[in-house]
């Protein structure tokens, strides 16, 4: 009896050890960042994988169950998840993760957003009023989001605050070194004109000073049509692109078609963590992205 | 940092003073100092790195992103306006002209516009939604058709209760069954399944309060309870204190691997009817009015399974869903008619007891981002109907209404869809009605997320 009681007390004492900060990340890149910062102090759930279009996720029962138990939602923001996340957050019955509370974090709020539309009209496709939400493909943005995220995590879980700050510092140190390496290696990509499937690489091309000369989607969120592709091909004469980029979750047909006709390589980029075998973490994501881009250079 | 350095120096000094004689101690102190030196060298190197990084950043300002100070708020006052969306939904329908369209063997639930043929603008839905404050969110849906605007939904829900608890109050679609909460524009076919038409006319909405609780488990388990006015079919409007309709339900769901998701549900609805009237045909072949007063209890079971390769539904996905219901009604039936030829010319009151059931199953396959095709099969069972004394006056039809539907639809984007549907409807005894429907669904403005 006494043994059982002491066992129970021990278990209770051990509770804070498993009461990790539960993070619900909408996309793999921010899940990976939360893991870099939090290490074993956090339990991170990624709502999507690199093979899912983050615009088109459904408010699945499993997502509701995970959101119910989360202390922190880390979203890409800028309306990327507007089709499902608001519903998941509301129906989770979890007051700590509602927008406006510390448990709700949007990465896009901490970076300088590109492609902020001057005119809001659906005739331009599924535009995001707050700008392009695919912010993570500029590693400087990853740094900015990481600093803000570490602060937020420390605010939510003060006991582990120093651990999060230390986790971020360690990550930032390695990241700075890696960025210097990437920026050096990427020099040949400067000014290279490219076609993209969806406008999901604008932060990457902006960082590397590459030139986007066209998108396979006639308007964001509208599937490539043969008419539009033919038009793009015709434009190859005047403004030739050197390669066509797509994310792991995009269909390969349209980029293969135009690559074949134009005689340029179709490059699959991991887009996010898990998109290729090499993109195991954030470092691998950029290593592999650059390697694939450089390999495609003529 | 200075402080810790000073402390370390003091400590080292006192150690040194205490154990000046011992070589071993001296060695320990040397080791300590070496360790400190190394640690500080590392820190200095890190700082130098940082400095170099900062310098390189300023050297190429084009690449260094500007730090956005906290969330960038939109300055305009319009940012505070509710999310507005408008759904245009119209159709062209070709089918037989059957003036009193109904479902043989079932108490008519009053289906609006059931016999409307040719072109129609059907219904225009206006949706307004917004957070009211940090604690509540509100939504109103006004359905507009010729000459009338109907408050389809008008409710507020809690945001800040926590512990998995959700509270909703106002007029809302009940959480029972699977498609009951879906708006017509979110459905995969142009009309509600026969099962829902027989049960509710289309779907069941409640003026009342809904309480939901989501269990803190990795498996999705949701419990819901509702009490309300219960004025809609199978209940009736009854001006009295207290609640007339109540419902309970449980939903369980999860993923199976990355590509499959499922949900099952069980629901119970109880309502009371007072003088719920409908036309019956008496055994003399004359129309008589029957009025039912009593209790109606409905059990529903639902199942939905969704598949998408890698869990990415954009290019390809398949959805299967099926629902079953069983309803029992107990009470009194009064039959009357003003027609002298009717057997009910002198009102006859009797007992009334029925037990009826039905189901549907449907599959919808999206094979490209734009195209989807679907099949639906449904069958009802008029079951046992005991009219007591009125069995001598009224015809008791025993029939199993059936319907088979095929549809194909095309979507230019998430916001525009056109659908072609063909149905063979045998919901009325002795009639096979081949129905052709062309439908469009266009949504303008903010697009609220759809439920699973």
């Amino acid at each position: 009896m006494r043994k059982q009681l002491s066992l129970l007390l021990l278990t209770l004492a051990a509770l804070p050890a498993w009461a990790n900060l539960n993070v619900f990340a909408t996309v793999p890149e921010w899940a990976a960042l939360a893991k870099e910062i939090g290490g074993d102090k956090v339990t991170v759930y990624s709502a999507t994988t690199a093979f899912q279009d983050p615009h088109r996720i459904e408010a699945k029962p499993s997502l509701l169950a995970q959101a119910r138990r989360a202390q922190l939602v880390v979203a890409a923001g800028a309306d990327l998840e507007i089709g499902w996340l608001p519903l998941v957050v509301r129906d989770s019955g979890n007051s700590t993760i509602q927008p406006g509370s510390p448990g709700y974090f949007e990465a896009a709020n901490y970076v300088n957003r590109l492609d902020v539309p001057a005119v809001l009209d659906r005739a331009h496709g599924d535009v995001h009023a707050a700008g392009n939400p695919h912010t993570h493909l500029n590693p400087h943005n990853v740094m900015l989001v990481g600093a803000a995220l570490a602060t937020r995590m420390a605010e939510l879980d003060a006991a582990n605050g120093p651990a999060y700050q230390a986790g971020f510092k360690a990550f930032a140190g390695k990241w700075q070194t890696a960025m210097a390496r990437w920026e050096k290696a990427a020099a040949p990509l400067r000014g290279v004109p490219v076609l993209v499937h969806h406008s999901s690489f604008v932060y990457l091309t902006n960082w590397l000073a590459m030139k986007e000369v066209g998108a396979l989607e006639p308007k964001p969120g509208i599937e490539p049509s043969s008419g539009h592709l033919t038009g793009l091909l015709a434009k190859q004469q005047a403004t030739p692109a050197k390669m066509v980029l797509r994310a792991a979750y995009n269909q390969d047909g349209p980029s293969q078609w135009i690559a074949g006709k134009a005689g340029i390589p179709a490059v699959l980029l991991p887009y996010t963590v898990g998109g290729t075998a090499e993109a195991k973490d954030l470092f691998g994501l950029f290593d592999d992205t650059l390697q694939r881009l450089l390999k495609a250079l003529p | 940092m200075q402080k810790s350095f000073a402390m370390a120096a003091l400590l080292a000094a006192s150690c040194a003073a205490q154990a000046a004689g011992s070589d071993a101690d001296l060695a320990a102190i040397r080791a300590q100092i070496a360790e400190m030196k190394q640690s500080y060298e590392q820190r200095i190197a890190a700082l130098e790195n940082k400095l170099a990084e900062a310098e390189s950043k300023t050297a190429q300002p084009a690449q260094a992103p500007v730090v956005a100070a906290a969330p960038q708020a939109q300055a305009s006052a319009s940012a505070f306006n509710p999310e507005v969306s408008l759904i245009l939904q119209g159709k062209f329908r070709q089918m037989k002209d059957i003036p009193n369209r109904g479902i043989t063997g079932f108490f008519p639930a009053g289906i609006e516009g059931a016999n409307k043929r040719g072109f129609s603008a059907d219904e225009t839905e206006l949706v307004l939604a917004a957070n009211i404050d940090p604690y509540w969110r509100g939504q109103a849906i006004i359905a507009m058709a010729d000459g009338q605007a109907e408050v389809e939904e008008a409710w507020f829900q809690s945001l800040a209760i926590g512990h998995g608890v959700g509270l909703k109050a106002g007029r809302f679609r009940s959480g029972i069954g699977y498609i009951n909460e879906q708006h017509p524009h979110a459905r995969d076919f142009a009309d509600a399944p026969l099962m829902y038409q027989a049960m509710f006319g289309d779907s069941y909405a409640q003026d009342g309060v809904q309480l939901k609780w989501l269990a803190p488990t990795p498996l999705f388990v949701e419990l819901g309870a509702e009490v309300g006015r219960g004025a809609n079919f199978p209940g009736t409007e009854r001006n009295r204190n207290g609640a007339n309709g109540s419902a309970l339900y449980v939903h369980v769901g999860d993923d199976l691997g990355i590509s499959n998701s499922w949900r099952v549900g069980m629901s119970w609805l109880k309502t009371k009817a007072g003088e719920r009237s409908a036309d019956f045909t008496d055994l003399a072949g004359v129309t008589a009015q029957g009025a039912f007063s009593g209790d109606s209890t409905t059990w529903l079971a639902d199942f939905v399974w969704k598949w998408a390769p890698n869990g990415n539904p954009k290019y390809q996905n398949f959805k299967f869903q099926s629902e079953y219901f069983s309803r029992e009604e107990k009470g009194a039936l009064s039959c009357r008619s003003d027609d002298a030829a009717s057997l009910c010319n002198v009102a006859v009151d009797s007992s009334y007891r029925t037990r009826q059931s039905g189901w549907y199953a449907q599959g919808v396959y999206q094979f490209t981002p734009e195209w989807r095709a679907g099949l639906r099969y449904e069958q009802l069972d008029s079951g046992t109907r005991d009219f007591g004394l009125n069995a001598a006056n009224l015809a008791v039809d025993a029939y199993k209404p059936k319907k088979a539907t095929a549809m194909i639809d095309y979507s230019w984007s998430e916001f525009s869809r056109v659908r072609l549907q063909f149905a063979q409807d045998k919901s009325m005894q002795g009639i096979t009605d081949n129905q052709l429907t062309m439908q469009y669904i266009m949504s303008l403005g903010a697009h609220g997320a759809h439920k699973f």
Side-chain angles (χ1 to χ4, degrees), chain B residues 246-385:
Chain B
S246 40
L248 291 173
Y249 56 84
V250 55
H251 295 143
V252 178
D254 204 358
D255 290 344
L256 240 145
I258 188 75
S259 304
N260 298 284
S261 309
W262 56 272
R263 199 193 88 167
V264 294
M266 190 63 145
S267 318
W268 173 87
L269 172 73
K270 184 155 183 135
T271 60
K272 284 185 192 310
E275 302 279 306
R276 189 180 77 198
S277 63
D279 284 354
F280 282 78
T281 306
D282 71 10
L283 290 172
V286 179
T287 303
Q289 280 75 50
F292 164 74
S293 298
D295 289 353
S296 173
T297 310
T298 310
W299 284 93
L300 284 126
D302 60 83
F303 170 68
V304 57
W305 171 65
K306 293 190 187 185
W307 168 85
N310 280 320
N312 190 23
K314 183 173 181 178
Y315 298 111
Q316 237 187 77
N317 65 73
F318 178 74
K319 171 160 79 169
F320 174 83
Q321 73 194 56
S322 183
E323 294 185 71
Y324 168 85
F325 86 97
S326 167
R327 170 174 288 167
E328 194 180 42
E329 296 200 315
K330 254 192 278 187
L333 183 73
S334 113
C335 173
R336 65 187 68 237
S337 175
D338 294 336
D339 194 324
S342 169
L343 297 173
C344 292
N345 185 236
V346 179
V348 182
D349 293 332
S350 70
S351 64
Y352 178 89
R353 193 182 179 117
T354 64
R355 185 187 283 277
Q356 307 188 301
S357 64
W359 60 273
Y360 77 88
Q362 69 180 55
V364 175
Y365 179 47
Q366 181 190 308
F367 46 99
T368 73
E370 296 92 5
W371 289 99
R372 307 191 314 158
L375 289 172
R376 177 173 74 187
Y377 184 78
E378 38 198 334
Q379 190 170 319
L380 306 180
D381 186 351
S382 62
T384 57
R385 306 176 85 197

Side-chain angles (χ1 to χ4, degrees), chain B residues 414-447:
Chain B
E414 289 172 79
F415 313 107
S416 56
R417 171 171 287 167
V418 56
R419 174 180 292 150
L420 178 67
Q421 176 172 312
F422 179 77
Q424 187 173 67
D425 186 348
K426 290 182 178 173
S427 60
M428 279 162 293
Q429 198 161 15
I431 300 172
T432 298
D433 189 15
N434 292 322
Q435 305 168 341
L436 179 81
T437 310
M438 273 290 275
Q439 188 195 24
Y440 63 80
I441 302 161
M442 305 280 165
S443 47
L444 290 67
H447 51 309

